[in-house]
Amino acid sequence: MADFDRFTNCVAGQSRQGPKVHRGIDPSTGKSLWDVPVASETDLEEAIASSKKAFAPWSKTSWEDRAQQLLLARDVLLENKAKMAELLTKEVGKPIQLAHLEVEHAANFLEFNAKQKPFEERIIQDDSDLKLTVVQKPVGIVAAICPWNFPLVLAMGKIAAGLITGNCVIVKPSPFTPYSILKFAELVQHIFPPGVLQALNGGDDLGPRLCTHPDIDKISFTGSTATGKKIANAAAGTLKTVTLELGGNNASIICPDVDPNIVAPQVAVGSFFNSGQLCVASKRVYVHEDIYDQFLKVMVETVKQWKVEPTSSLQEGIMLGPIQNQMQYDVVRQFFLDSASNGHQFALGETPKESPENFIIKPAIVSNPPDDSLVVTGEAFGPIVPVMKWKDEDDVIRRANDTLTGLGGAVWSNDLTRAQAIADRIEAGTVWINSFEKPLPQAHLSGYKESGLGGEWGREGLSAYTKPQVIHCYKAPVVAK
Ligand code: NAD
């Protein structure tokens, strides 16, 4: 039975402690969680050396064998589902039933990638003169740098795609939420050859070191746009391949032909799921003026009924837990202060305390704030959402696109042709029609504009972990007859 009170890095197939430790905080209580080692320079160098050694045989292991190992890892994850979900609730503050969903979703990523067909060699030309072929090769050693909002599933998307395509992966969790992914790496070490999957928790210097290390071939990063830009900059020094999944400010456009009683409760989930700490959450809601009042009323009534509480009791039925950390709590609070000081109307919610006993922020809905207000233009990444009116379709599409980011969006209409036409004009990598934002392993995710560079997930996402090699093979003899 695995020990869920002890956490280690994973280097060269071994669990590794170290002299330096730090502790995450349970955001429901503000109390410290378990010790977790902070990787040293030696840990990093040894992890990279181990991956370098493992890469050649792993990249030559058949796709089927690698898939088999991913499926074994999925089984181990699911066998430990209850304990992993508890870890997620403790480290992120998410309600236990939603933590269970995250573990299942992470398992789905392993399964989806394991069940992909291998990349075949493609023959471009084959005649008496020349055989021209292209193959996809793994990029090498991948550093997976992850955020704190969905620490298990976002890391797993990178691990599963990286490993199936024949790369070695070193995963670096956010120092706010290191526990679930370190435990996963430890639990599956016996499945993979040493050096194939390693996990390092670090201080603030580990991410930058991974990005500049000459032996790391690729950075797969999910996190904020500000950090993404630093990573692109740092990786330029060694011209690493970089995939960036960054922040967004998704707009949901609600057409007048929908029933607010059916749609408003779903849009509320899309806005506030995981206490708004979801990259593709509906962060701006645009409702047609004909149904605005009723829509707002139902949305407020829906959210008012939710249980918003600390989650560490592991009690089922809590809808929203706390914000994950103090820094983010302070960021979200600034959005409340800005709206309050500018006289915006709160249809629900009030400014949270400056020095709280925990990081709970009750959900807030701001009614019709101006387009240039912070709550509309900024990414709060917390439970405060503006609900605006619209009248003209071209104008609402212009407003939806009037942002530097382009991660996602949603359109709600009973007329699917109209919804498709609006979706087509949204400048974002993903648009949901008649659903709140539900990312899926089989659906590619990529951000337009400052929401990212490249993309991952889905069959297309595998390409991000490979590089093409073209062979020009001339057939004329090169010896005299
Ligand atoms: P963050 O950018 O602060 O940190 C993410 C990771 O980067 C952490 O592991 C951190 O230690 C590391 N890091 C920080 N500075 C670094 C540097 N200079 N070099 C290398 N690594 C560094 O992001 P966060 O606060 O953990 O996550 C929240 C943000 O992530 C939000 O903006 C959200 O929208 C975005 N996000 C995007 C997606 C997506 O798929 N597009 C998914 C989830 C979250």
Side-chain angles (χ1 to χ4, degrees):
M1 188 69 189
D3 181 354
F4 277 76
D5 291 315
R6 187 173 164 276
F7 297 87
T8 62
N9 289 319
C10 285
V11 178
Q14 303 290 322
S15 291
R16 189 178 279 200
Q17 295 285 3
K20 203 168 159 203
V21 292
H22 97 252
R23 288 175 162 201
I25 302 283
D26 179 342
S28 288
T29 61
K31 295 209 173 97
S32 293
L33 293 167
W34 309 269
D35 280 356
V36 58
V38 177
S40 64
E41 189 69 38
T42 310
D43 293 331
L44 173 63
E45 289 303 330
E46 290 184 12
I48 292 172
S50 178
S51 282
K52 278 175 84 173
K53 198 166 153 205
F55 176 65
W58 179 248
S59 63
K60 296 284 176 239
T61 300
S62 73
W63 186 284
E64 291 69 26
D65 285 351
R66 294 197 298 251
Q68 210 45 49
Q69 294 179 46
L70 283 189
L71 291 175
L72 289 174
R74 174 206 57 185
D75 294 346
V76 168
L77 179 62
L78 289 176
E79 278 157 24
N80 289 279
K81 184 171 140 188
K83 296 299 275 180
M84 291 299 278
E86 273 183 38
L87 272 189
L88 280 170
T89 291
K90 292 267 162 67
E91 67 178 343
V92 190
K94 59 184 66 192
I96 187 69
Q97 74 276 10
L98 302 181
H100 273 103
L101 277 185
E102 181 166 348
V103 181
E104 285 163 19
H105 204 40
N108 290 342
F109 269 92
L110 289 165
E111 180 168 328
F112 169 78
N113 283 282
K115 294 197 168 162
Q116 287 306 295
K117 290 209 169 71
F119 287 107
E120 302 289 349
E121 176 184 87
R122 193 164 72 83
I123 300 170
I124 302 166
Q125 180 182 336
D126 190 10
D127 52 32
S128 56
D129 181 38
L130 169 67
K131 185 173 183 189
L132 193 55
T133 51
V134 58
V135 289
Q136 296 296 330
K137 301 185 119 185
V139 290
I141 305 177
V142 176
I145 303 181
C146 307
W148 46 257
N149 59 335
F150 287 87
L152 190 64
V153 75
L154 294 175
M156 208 65 79
K158 300 177 190 305
I159 291 169
L163 295 187
I164 192 67
T165 42
N167 301 280
C168 295
V169 176
I170 299 175
V171 60
K172 187 201 98 57
S174 165
F176 289 117
T177 54
Y179 299 104
S180 53
I181 198 66
L182 288 190
K183 188 51 71 183
F184 169 77
E186 179 196 322
L187 290 173
V188 300
Q189 272 312 296
H190 65 283
I191 296 172
F192 300 103
V196 166
L197 173 63
Q198 302 182 89
L200 295 176
N201 171 60
D204 288 345
D205 56 333
L206 181 60
R209 275 154 63 204
L210 287 164
C211 295
T212 50
H213 200 290
D215 292 331
I216 299 282
D217 300 292
K218 178 187 168 82
I219 304 289
S220 176
F221 171 76
T222 300
S224 63
T225 296
T227 306
K229 288 180 181 177
K230 286 187 201 160
I231 287 180
N233 210 7
T238 46
L239 284 182
K240 296 183 196 321
T241 314
V242 175
T243 300
L244 302 175
E245 295 280 3
L246 308 177
N249 194 5
N250 291 15
S252 279
I253 298 176
I254 324 295
C255 293
D257 61 350
V258 305
D259 181 346
N261 295 316
I262 292 173
V263 174
Q266 297 184 65
V267 172
V269 174
S271 289
F272 292 109
F273 187 76
N274 206 38
S275 298
Q277 303 166 115
L278 169 68
C279 55
V280 289
S282 281
K283 291 169 185 153
R284 296 174 289 151
V285 180
Y286 295 94
V287 184
H288 192 273
E289 61 176 9
D290 289 357
I291 57 165
Y292 182 88
D293 292 343
Q294 179 63 10
F295 190 96
L296 187 66
K297 186 166 163 265
V298 177
M299 194 166 165
V300 167
E301 277 165 8
T302 303
V303 177
K304 261 187 183 165
Q305 284 166 14
W306 291 343
K307 244 183 175 183
V308 184
E309 283 178 18
T311 52
S312 44
S313 63
L314 304 179
Q315 193 197 335
E316 297 256 351
I318 297 172
M319 184 67 180
L320 304 183
I323 296 298
Q324 198 279 327
N325 59 68
Q326 174 85 56
M327 185 199 67
Q328 191 59 32
Y329 182 93
D330 294 343
V331 169
V332 179
R333 189 166 171 274
Q334 284 308 317
F335 279 72
F336 280 81
L337 289 172
D338 183 87
S339 275
S341 68
N342 284 298
H344 302 157
Q345 211 191 330
F346 281 79
L348 181 71
E350 57 192 42
T351 304
K353 286 191 210 148
E354 188 174 1
S355 307
E357 56 280 4
N358 55 45
F359 302 143
I360 293 281
I361 295 184
K362 298 267 186 202
I365 297 174
V366 184
S367 155
N368 227 7
D371 282 354
D372 62 355
S373 56
L374 177 67
V375 72
V376 178
T377 58
E379 186 194 27
F381 213 56
I384 175 167
V385 64
V387 180
M388 281 81 66
K389 275 186 197 168
W390 67 273
K391 188 174 182 176
D392 175 74
E393 195 168 297
D394 286 342
D395 189 52
V396 75
I397 293 169
R398 179 196 59 74
R399 290 161 79 196
N401 289 334
D402 185 18
T403 157
L404 288 176
T405 55
L407 188 59
V411 183
W412 298 79
S413 171
N414 208 36
D415 175 348
L416 290 183
T417 309
R418 180 183 190 180
Q420 292 274 1
I422 296 174
D424 184 50
R425 294 173 65 195
I426 303 278
E427 294 163 3
T430 303
V431 183
W432 281 265
I433 292 177
N434 293 344
S435 166
F436 60 85
E437 297 77 359
K438 293 179 203 149
L440 298 169
Q442 65 271 35
H444 191 57
L445 188 78
S446 71
Y448 290 5
K449 305 192 226 176
E450 293 196 4
S451 286
L453 196 62
E456 53 184 11
W457 305 357
R459 175 78 188 171
E460 296 84 350
L462 293 180
S463 307
Y465 292 89
T466 64
K467 56 187 179 193
Q469 184 180 50
V470 178
I471 304 287
H472 299 234
C473 178
Y474 285 92
K475 296 181 179 173
V478 286
V479 288
K481 282 199 177 152

